[in-house]
Amino acid sequence: MKEFNYVIKDELGIHARPAGLLVKEAGKFQSAIKIKKGDKEADAKRIFGVMGLAVKCADEITVSVDGADEAEAIAALEAFFNANL
Amino acid sequence: MITLTGKSVFGGVEIGKIAFYKRNERQIKRWRVEDTDAEVKRFEEAKATAISQLQALYEKAMRDVGEENAMIFEMHQMMLEDLDYLDSIIHIITGQEVNAEYAVSTTADNFAMMFSSMDDAYMQGRAADVKDISERVLNILSGAGQSGIDTDVPVIVAADDLVPSETVQLDKKLVLGFATMYGSSNSHTAILARTMNIPAIIGLGEALKPEYDGAFAVIDGFDGKIYIDPDDETLEAMKKKQADDRAKKALLQELKGKENVTLSGQKINLYANIGNSSDVGLVLQNDAGGIGLFRSEFLYLENDTFPTEDQQFAVYKLVAENMAGKRVIIRTLDIGADKQVDYFNLDKEENPALGYRAIRICLTQPEIFKTQLRALLRASAFGQIAIMFPMIISVGEVKQIKAILEEVKAELREAGVPFKEDIEIGIMIETPAAVMMSRELAKEVDFFSVGTNDLTQYTLAIDRQNPKLDVFYDAHHPAVLAMIKMAADNAHAEGKWIGICGELGADLELTETFLEMGIDELSVSPSMILPLRKKVREAK
C-alpha cells in the first residue's frame, strides 16, 4: 500500500467538477483507492462518497492506494491533485 | 392587469402567453415483488436508458450552451453509476423484496438529505442533482410521457423552479423567457437564461399562480416584472422597450468586437460601471473592455453585519475570473453620505456629503479596510484586479493607504497566500482638492478616475437633490471641464492614465471634448458602451 498527504488549495474544495474528474481518474486503476479526511473515509471511485467528505480549501487529506497497479496509480493521483486541487 | 415582481436574472422584454412547465406527477407506491432478480434487471435497464438520455443531453448542451453548462450532464451520468447509489437501490430491492420505483425514490431521498444537511451552500445545492437523476430513472420505470411545455408557439415558461435537464430539453425556439417562483441567481435556470440570451425572472413566489397558465403576459427582464393581461398603456410602453432593446441588440451585432478608435486613429478604453457581481453578464454582453468601476458597497448594503473576508473574496474572484484577464477596477467601500448602513453605527450628520464617509471611514477604522484589502489582494491572483480609493483630498491620505496596503501584502506573503505583487492602484478624482493636488497625487498612483457627480457638486457647491437649484446647475459647467482637463494633464505629465467613471463619461455631447483632453478611458453603465463606441468611431 502507498499513500500521500495533500492540502487542498482550490478555493471551493473538492466540489462537484473536480470530484467528477477525480472519480474518472481513480477509475482508470485496478487498485483500491481511498481518500481520508479526519476520521471519514471514502472510496475515490464513488462520486457521492467523495462529495460527501465535503473537503474544503486548506483541509488535509490522505490518499491511499492498494493493489497491483498502485505505483502508477499513486503517481497519477499526485499529479492530478497538484494540477486540479 | 396583474403585476408580479421578482428578481431579474437576465434582461429583455417579451410578449406572449404563459405556459406552466408540466411534470408527470406520480406517486411512488411500494409493492412486493417475487422475482427480485427481474426487478433489479428492470432497474438496470432503466438506468442504462437514463444514461444514454443524459449522454444525448450532454451532446445537445455542448452544441447549444457550451462545455461549462454541459458538464452537469456528464456529472449526472457519473452519479447514476455511483456504486453507493446503486448498492443502496439494489439492496432495497433484494433485501426488502420491493419494486424498483420505491427503491430509487427512497435512495434519492436519503442521498438528497445527506447533501442538504452539509454545512456548505454549494453542496446543499447538489441535493437537486440527486433528485434530478432519480426522477429521470423513475420516469423511465413508470413509462411516463414527456414532461415539458405543451405549445407550438413561443411562450413564457413558468415553473416553481427548473432543474438543468428540464431547461436544456426545452426547444429554445419555443421559449420567450423564464419565470420561476423560486431559484437563485446561481441556479442552472439563471445561468442558462443568460447563455440563451432571454429574459428570466426568479423568486416570483406564490404570486405566480398556476391559474395564469395560458394567460397573455409581458415579461420585463430588465425590471423583474411580469404583467398579466397588460392594459393598453403598459403594452405600448413594453413594446417600445422591446423595440429599443432590439435596436440596441442590432447595434451590438454591428459594433461587437470593433475597436474604440476615432477616424483619426485615437483610441480610448470603454469600460463598464457595475454595482453587483451579477452585472458581469451585462458587461460581457455589451462588449466592454473591462470594468472601470465596481462599486463594492452592495456587499455591505446587502448584509446585516460586516461582510467577511471570504465572502468578499468569493465575489471579487468570481468577477475577476468571469472577466478573464480584462481589467476590473474595484472601488473600496464608499459608505456614508446617501448610502447608510445600520451596523456601521454612523452618527447623523448635518452635512453628510461633506462628512464621515468612504476613505475617511477606512482610514479611521483600519480593521474594516484591511479585511477588504486582504480579500481584494487574494482575488488579484485570479484576474486583472485594480484597486481604487474614493474621496481622496491629500497626498498624505494616499501614503497612509499605501502603507496599510503594504502591511496587508506583507501578512499575505508571510502566510504564503498568492496575490499579484504589482497590483494597480488608483484614486477617484472627485474633490476639487484632488484636482489641485493631481500632479503630486499622480506620482503616488497608477491611475486616476474622475467621479464627475461628486466633483460637480463640490465644484459648483450645488446639491443635486435640491430641485430649487436646477436653474443654477449646468452639467457642462466650464469649471468642471477645466478641473477634468487639469487632472488629465497632470496624470499624463507623470505618465499615468486617467479615466472618467461618473455620469459625464456617458454624455455623448462631451465625448469629443474628452477625446481632445486625451482621456484614456470612459467607464459607463453597460448599456452605454455600444452607443459610446459608435460615437467614438464617428469622431475625428
Side-chain angles (χ1 to χ4, degrees):
Chain A
M1 190 180 84
K2 291 182 185 303
E3 60 177 40
F4 66 88
N5 291 337
Y6 186 82
V7 178
I8 302 297
K9 295 179 186 63
D10 190 293
E11 276 306 320
L12 295 169
I14 306 186
H15 55 107
R17 192 186 161 150
L21 295 173
L22 172 61
V23 169
K24 246 195 202 169
E25 187 66 27
K28 291 179 187 163
F29 301 98
Q30 285 170 6
S31 299
I33 302 172
K34 303 250 185 268
I35 297 178
K36 204 149 83 176
K37 184 189 112 178
D39 51 4
K40 284 202 288 184
E41 191 180 70
D43 184 338
K45 295 177 186 176
R46 302 186 178 200
I47 191 160
F48 284 130
V50 172
M51 287 168 76
L53 286 178
V55 178
K56 298 207 175 71
C57 185
D59 280 351
E60 182 167 29
I61 54 156
T62 306
V63 180
S64 64
V65 185
D66 192 8
D69 54 1
E70 62 185 34
E72 297 95 304
I74 199 131
L77 286 166
E78 266 202 273
F80 173 86
F81 273 94
N82 282 315
N84 295 292
L85 287 158
Chain B
M1 180 174 82
I2 301 161
T3 306
L4 308 178
T5 307
K7 190 172 169 213
S8 164
V9 182
F10 198 78
V13 175
E14 292 294 345
I15 301 163
K17 281 191 172 165
I18 291 183
F20 265 79
Y21 188 89
K22 298 222 175 22
R23 292 198 185 85
N24 296 299
E25 296 296 335
R26 85 185 92 61
Q27 278 202 309
I28 301 298
K29 294 207 177 74
R30 179 182 197 271
W31 66 84
R32 251 184 83 92
V33 291
E34 299 281 326
D35 186 351
T36 54
D37 286 350
E39 193 65 9
V40 169
K41 190 152 174 277
R42 193 165 80 88
F43 164 70
E44 300 276 9
E45 281 166 8
K47 186 198 86 180
T49 309
I51 286 174
S52 63
Q53 284 181 357
L54 284 165
Q55 181 60 28
L57 278 180
Y58 174 74
E59 284 160 16
K60 177 169 160 46
M62 281 288 271
R63 285 193 304 273
D64 292 356
V65 290
E67 193 189 351
E68 202 66 13
N69 289 305
M71 184 77 198
I72 183 79
F73 300 111
E74 202 185 13
M75 289 288 310
H76 280 185
Q77 291 180 57
M78 270 185 214
M79 290 177 174
L80 264 182
E81 290 184 283
D82 180 85
L83 291 172
D84 290 324
Y85 180 77
L86 298 179
D87 282 353
S88 163
I89 291 167
I90 293 166
H91 187 77
I92 293 173
I93 296 175
T94 53
Q96 303 183 27
E97 300 181 344
V98 290
N99 56 319
E101 288 88 341
Y102 175 79
V104 171
S105 162
T106 307
T107 301
D109 286 347
N110 290 342
F111 277 71
M113 206 154 13
M114 171 188 95
F115 281 116
S116 21
S117 65
M118 283 163 89
D119 61 347
D120 175 323
Y122 177 81
M123 285 295 176
Q124 284 164 8
R126 306 283 65 77
D129 292 325
V130 178
K131 293 223 167 100
D132 196 3
I133 58 162
S134 307
E135 281 297 308
R136 177 172 302 282
V137 177
L138 288 170
N139 271 337
I140 297 164
L141 281 171
S142 64
Q146 276 289 7
S147 301
I149 44 168
D150 183 19
T151 180
D152 42 20
V153 293
V155 290
I156 300 164
V157 177
D160 47 358
D161 195 7
L162 291 165
V163 296
S165 60
E166 291 172 339
T167 38
V168 78
Q169 261 169 319
L170 292 168
D171 183 349
K172 274 206 289 185
K173 291 192 290 296
L174 295 178
V175 183
L176 295 170
F178 289 116
T180 67
M181 296 164 75
Y182 314 107
S184 75
S185 34
N186 292 319
S187 68
H188 292 293
T189 312
I191 295 163
L192 283 166
R194 282 187 210 117
T195 326
M196 287 163 70
N197 228 334
I198 54 174
I201 302 174
I202 59 169
L204 288 155
E206 309 278 329
L208 181 64
K209 295 181 193 143
E211 68 197 54
Y212 298 145
D213 192 42
F216 180 68
V218 180
I219 177 168
D220 177 356
F222 296 108
D223 289 344
K225 286 198 175 359
I226 291 182
Y227 304 97
I228 291 165
D229 295 326
D231 54 38
D232 291 347
E233 200 183 322
T234 308
L235 193 59
E236 278 316 302
M238 286 295 128
K239 278 185 176 158
K240 178 164 188 317
K241 201 165 178 179
Q242 185 180 37
D244 289 350
D245 181 44
R246 289 195 175 151
K248 211 181 284 163
K249 282 183 179 143
L251 188 66
L252 178 93
Q253 286 312 318
E254 185 194 321
L255 289 170
K256 209 165 178 172
K258 299 256 170 79
E259 266 193 305
N260 308 307
V261 59
T262 64
L263 296 172
S264 61
Q266 187 184 348
K267 289 184 188 170
I268 188 164
N269 284 326
L270 298 183
Y271 290 176
N273 294 343
I274 62 169
N276 199 320
S277 52
S278 56
D279 298 337
V280 175
L282 280 177
V283 174
L284 295 171
Q285 199 199 343
N286 286 288
D287 205 21
I291 292 173
L293 169 63
F294 179 12
R295 303 180 182 91
S296 60
E297 290 82 72
F298 83 97
L299 280 164
Y300 297 84
L301 296 167
E302 284 180 359
N303 252 18
D304 300 330
T305 164
F306 291 103
T308 65
E309 180 186 326
D310 282 346
Q311 239 176 326
Q312 298 191 48
F313 166 70
V315 170
Y316 303 149
K317 174 175 179 247
L318 181 74
V319 174
E321 285 182 334
N322 283 336
M323 291 302 292
K326 291 178 177 164
R327 195 184 265 140
V328 177
I329 302 175
I330 304 177
R331 182 176 69 188
T332 58
L333 85 97
D334 193 8
I335 296 288
D338 51 342
K339 284 170 265 177
Q340 290 288 343
V341 184
D342 290 344
Y343 58 82
F344 272 79
N345 288 321
L346 298 178
D347 297 329
K348 269 239 166 311
E349 292 183 76
E350 286 285 319
N351 202 343
L354 304 182
Y356 186 58
R357 56 176 284 203
I359 204 68
R360 298 168 183 179
I361 296 178
C362 289
L363 290 176
T364 46
Q365 302 191 52
E367 64 288 1
I368 299 176
F369 194 34
K370 284 175 90 171
T371 303
Q372 184 169 30
L373 291 177
R374 247 194 317 273
L376 285 165
L377 282 169
R378 282 171 59 197
S380 71
F382 298 89
Q384 188 66 24
I385 286 180
I387 311 179
M388 178 158 73
F389 305 98
M391 276 300 283
I392 298 297
I393 58 168
S394 74
V395 175
E397 285 169 347
V398 177
K399 288 192 165 151
Q400 215 182 325
I401 289 165
K402 285 169 76 176
I404 296 173
L405 188 67
E406 281 312 313
E407 266 175 53
V408 177
K409 280 184 178 178
E411 286 164 18
L412 289 175
R413 229 175 270 130
E414 181 87 357
V417 178
F419 65 93
K420 196 163 178 287
E421 284 282 354
D422 57 348
I423 187 167
E424 279 185 298
I425 60 164
I427 55 169
M428 297 276 295
I429 300 288
E430 52 189 338
T431 62
V435 175
M436 299 313 289
M437 297 308 298
S438 49
R439 183 73 190 252
E440 294 307 307
L441 287 166
K443 295 186 168 109
E444 298 292 329
V445 297
D446 299 305
F447 65 91
F448 285 165
S449 187
V450 185
T452 53
N453 305 12
D454 274 337
L455 184 61
T456 304
Q457 113 160 330
Y458 295 137
T459 303
L460 303 183
I462 283 183
D463 178 1
R464 287 302 315 278
Q465 318 292 336
N466 186 342
K468 277 192 193 150
L469 299 177
D470 281 356
V471 288
F472 299 100
Y473 182 76
D474 172 8
H476 299 176
H477 198 292
V480 176
L481 297 176
M483 289 261 181
I484 298 173
K485 182 165 191 319
M486 183 175 177
D489 289 346
N490 283 330
H492 292 147
E494 294 295 333
K496 306 298 166 66
W497 65 268
I498 180 166
I500 294 176
C501 64
E503 268 169 42
L504 283 191
D507 190 331
L508 297 174
E509 288 173 33
L510 290 176
T511 310
E512 286 181 305
T513 310
F514 293 146
L515 285 164
E516 275 162 32
M517 286 183 194
I519 297 293
D520 302 281
E521 175 245 20
L522 297 172
S523 191
V524 298
S525 69
S527 63
M528 279 306 294
I529 297 277
L530 292 169
L532 203 49
R533 174 172 297 166
K534 189 161 187 269
K535 182 80 188 176
V536 168
R537 291 176 65 83
E538 287 162 4
K540 301 194 182 79

